[in-house]
Amino acid sequence: MCRVVDLQQAVLAKNDACAHTLREDLAARGTAVVNLLSSPGSGKTALLEGELALARGRGVPVAALTADLATENDAVRLARSGVPVKQILTDGLCHLEAEMLGGHLHGWLPADTRLLFIENVGNLVCPASYDLGETLRVVLASVTEGEDKPLKYPTAFGLAHLVVVTKTDIADAVSFDEAEFRANVQRVNPGVEVVLTSVRAEEGTGVLLDRALAARDGAPVHIPVMTRKSHHVHDTEDPRRHDESHSHGHGPGHAHEHGPAHRHDHPHDHSHGHEHGHDHAHAPHGAGDHSHRAGPGSVAPSRS
């Protein structure tokens, strides 16, 4: 068991080092990364497609990379926005890693890109533990998934800089309890902003883009309690930011709980065709609700 834990720690440590380098390299060229995490079917592709089209209409240089175990469906959809899009096929790996991401960005990402959106593999378990050098980590949940998802996946929601609720146009039909969902989010990530969106109803249009641009331009990003309680907090502050209160654990808002407190719900197996992952049992408690309700390229597939 100790050897398994040591190996997992080594893998995560290597990833953190790669993420730190990637973050510095992208920051030096003026590019911020937005890492989108959610379960399958949450509607993140539809939301991202609209935000990319909006960015292009505003003249904001953006690009998107989408990861899936198989098919290029999402990349084809996102490319309709007219921005540079690239597909990563993970061949069974249930998450992206910083080194993998860096390899796919090399020689592809346009030099003037201000925002790079990463649509991570649909999974709320293992992607939560891997820093991708992101400036902003966004976790999405649709109203159909239930109000208890933040409690079931405390690492994913606990390390988020922003939480987005999707498909709010059908909230009444599925008896979604917004107040309970918000309360559960605050239990694992006190103070994080919760944004309500609906692609069909055009609710929350542009909020994700606005938050991403603000983060890229140096606005303070929410610091999750889970990050502040990390045993491995070190200062990797974005050089564009001047807010002395803003500190990072394994990059902006990202942390790993290692050792005995680190629980692995599933064995870490990188063999193809098997989804795997691990989640953290740590769920910090707190109060306070920082929430928001807003009113109304080419595809280059590649394999890791």
Side-chain angles (χ1 to χ4, degrees), residues 5 88 105 111 129 174 183 211 232 263:
V5 172
I88 290 181
L105 294 180
S129 294
V174 298
R211 298 296 184 272
H232 304 282
R263 186 188 74 199

Side-chain angles (χ1 to χ4, degrees), residues 138-141 150 157 160-166 168 176 178-197 203-204 207 211 222 288-294:
V138 182
V139 175
L140 297 85
F157 285 89
H161 300 119
L162 179 68
V163 174
V164 175
V165 179
T166 61
T168 57
F176 176 69
E178 180 186 334
E180 182 180 350
F181 179 83
R182 288 182 181 277
N184 289 336
V185 169
Q186 295 305 315
R187 285 182 64 186
V188 300
N189 195 346
V192 70
E193 182 180 14
V194 177
V195 174
L196 303 181
T197 67
E203 179 179 15
V207 175
R211 298 296 184 272
H222 168 71
D289 181 13
H290 184 187
S291 58
H292 176 83
R293 180 190 290 267

Side-chain angles (χ1 to χ4, degrees), residues 58-216:
R58 292 183 184 179
V60 179
V62 299
L65 187 150
T66 181
D68 281 300
L69 277 67
T71 83
E72 300 168 15
N73 296 346
D74 288 351
V76 171
R77 285 183 59 185
L78 295 179
R80 296 188 304 207
S81 65
V83 309
V85 175
K86 187 174 185 179
Q87 177 81 55
I88 290 181
L89 299 179
T90 65
D91 289 328
L93 191 64
C94 66
H95 62 275
L96 287 176
E97 298 179 5
E99 185 175 23
M100 181 193 310
L101 175 62
H104 286 287
L105 294 180
H106 182 70
W108 169 75
L109 188 66
D112 65 342
T113 303
R114 291 182 63 192
L115 293 177
L116 172 64
F117 287 92
I118 306 296
E119 184 180 9
N120 217 316
V121 179
N123 184 343
L124 284 175
V125 185
C126 43
S129 294
Y130 286 83
D131 183 7
L132 298 182
E134 64 259 25
T135 305
L136 194 68
R137 173 174 288 208
V138 182
V139 175
L140 297 85
S142 72
V143 297
T144 61
E145 295 177 59
E147 298 82 358
D148 62 346
K149 283 299 177 290
L151 304 182
K152 288 186 174 181
Y153 301 95
T155 302
F157 285 89
L159 290 174
H161 300 119
L162 179 68
V163 174
V164 175
V165 179
T166 61
K167 306 182 183 180
T168 57
D169 56 297
I170 60 171
D172 290 341
V174 298
S175 300
F176 176 69
D177 189 330
E178 180 186 334
E180 182 180 350
F181 179 83
R182 288 182 181 277
N184 289 336
V185 169
Q186 295 305 315
R187 285 182 64 186
V188 300
N189 195 346
V192 70
E193 182 180 14
V194 177
V195 174
L196 303 181
T197 67
S198 167
V199 173
R200 289 185 177 181
E202 298 184 350
E203 179 179 15
T205 301
V207 175
L208 176 59
L209 177 61
D210 290 342
R211 298 296 184 272
L213 285 171
R216 184 266 179 195

